Amino acid sequence: MQIHDTIAGLRAARGKAGRVALVPTMGNLHEGHIALMTQARAHADQVIATIFVNRLQFRPGEDFEKYPRTFEADCERLVAAGVDHLFAPTEAEMYPQPQTYQVEPPPEQANILDGEFRPGHFRGVATVVMKLFQIARPDVALFGKKDYQQLMVIRNMVSEFNLPIEIVGGETVRAADGLALSSRNGYLSAAERAEAPRLYRVLTKVVEAVRAGDRGRAVLEQAAMAELQASGWAPDYVALRKKLDLQLPSAHDSGLVVLAAARLGSTRLIDNLEV
Ligand code: PAF
């Protein structure tokens, strides 16, 4: 695997022949990321992974500073996964001057759900992903479905800017007890880690109820939030939405997803399940 820390280096090394897949990450790689790398290989002749902890998508007071940086271990995993190129720029390389031009996703997509609780987050994500697309010029790019709203924003950005890039969503990878793998799971204490799979169980209950024909959306969401609260969580939302645009479903809509974000101690976890 070739490692590049400059844009010029990646561009010079990126071969011109064949299909190129891009898998953007912020590092601290787990099996969920590695599954995306493997999936990328099936879609392309060359796989480029990126590691960049993007300050623009963190708000003041969030975990930008303490976000786990595990570069050596990440490189070993990427080599084992058969990745061809790793682009791991410094902040000065990505943002040599303030990024005054940014990609502003529409409020109805970016200010709901996670965007309501993390204002500006999806602007930061869309801006860095747009930059990575311009730098790597992939034919296909892969993102995990665990960040469901992020995936929707990126799909719509690509569509509205007519970018010639296929966007592929990778299934969420879970621990045996159901907890979705996430770099932030590392923040959990042993007791919190034992409690954390409740988020998946609560979402599973909502999915089962909807599949059984219960369309009392608000009641289901409230019951899920109450169960989390009763077990010491501080939920931001549990929301049943349409998969396509994450807007509120009407009574007869199909193609639904239930999404949740909740804080356990000081750790904010997100998860979702398609119905
Ligand atoms: O999902 C992530 O790790 C990040 O949001 C991404 C897509 C790499 C952009 O910084």
Side-chain angles (χ1 to χ4, degrees):
M1 182 177 76
Q2 294 181 36
I3 302 177
H4 312 280
D5 59 7
T6 65
I7 295 166
L10 176 70
R11 283 190 169 149
R14 175 202 183 286
K16 297 252 182 299
R19 258 168 87 78
V20 172
L22 182 74
V23 187
T25 83
M26 298 203 298
N28 193 233
L29 303 180
H30 51 64
E31 283 309 310
H33 296 112
I34 299 307
L36 288 179
M37 305 297 162
T38 309
Q39 212 179 333
R41 170 60 65 207
H43 280 268
D45 306 295
Q46 290 183 62
V47 178
I48 303 175
T50 73
I51 296 180
F52 181 65
V53 184
N54 173 38
R55 187 188 293 272
L56 285 190
Q57 68 189 74
F58 291 79
R59 290 203 311 137
E62 289 190 342
D63 56 343
F64 174 76
E65 303 296 345
K66 77 164 183 177
Y67 198 87
R69 287 148 171 98
T70 50
F71 189 71
E72 299 302 324
D74 290 348
C75 286
E76 281 174 25
R77 302 201 77 164
L78 292 174
V79 169
V83 167
D84 301 293
H85 297 277
L86 168 62
F87 178 55
T90 59
E91 221 176 341
E93 180 72 4
M94 280 299 272
Y95 299 124
Q97 56 203 38
Q99 186 71 31
T100 54
Y101 284 76
Q102 299 202 17
V103 179
E104 188 74 56
E108 65 275 16
Q109 291 170 26
N111 296 357
I112 60 169
L113 303 170
D114 248 43
E116 182 184 342
F117 294 90
R118 303 184 71 190
H121 171 67
F122 290 108
R123 182 195 311 125
V125 170
T127 300
V128 78
V129 170
M130 179 64 103
K131 285 182 73 114
L132 291 170
F133 284 170
Q134 302 309 319
I135 292 164
R137 302 216 168 264
D139 300 288
V140 53
L142 295 93
F143 298 86
K145 283 192 191 178
K146 178 173 163 291
D147 294 293
Y148 209 86
Q149 189 173 4
Q150 166 173 287
L151 180 59
M152 177 197 68
V153 166
I154 291 168
R155 274 192 203 288
N156 291 340
M157 176 181 83
V158 164
S159 163
E160 290 204 14
F161 282 110
N162 308 98
L163 303 181
I165 302 172
E166 181 190 353
I167 301 298
V168 174
E171 295 303 325
T172 300
V173 178
R174 298 181 182 281
D177 58 11
L179 178 65
L181 298 192
S182 162
S183 301
R184 292 189 168 98
N185 293 351
Y187 300 153
L188 298 168
S189 68
E192 289 165 346
R193 175 61 189 83
E195 170 60 23
R198 187 180 305 279
L199 192 59
Y200 170 69
R201 293 201 297 272
V202 158
L203 290 175
T204 304
K205 274 191 210 170
V206 177
V207 167
E208 284 170 356
V210 175
R211 284 191 184 148
D214 185 344
R215 299 306 296 267
R217 183 185 58 78
V219 175
L220 290 171
E221 291 172 356
Q222 281 310 318
M225 301 260 286
E227 177 173 343
L228 289 170
Q229 267 157 352
S231 304
W233 296 67
D236 284 344
Y237 61 85
V238 176
L240 185 63
R241 295 297 174 103
K242 291 190 282 182
K243 273 198 248 184
L244 212 54
D245 55 10
L246 300 184
Q247 302 302 308
L248 286 174
S250 62
H252 302 292
D253 276 328
S254 55
L256 305 180
V257 56
V258 56
L259 311 100
R263 211 169 282 281
L264 186 56
S266 58
T267 306
R268 188 173 183 276
L269 298 178
I270 63 170
D271 200 355
N272 65 79
L273 280 179
E274 292 176 329
V275 177

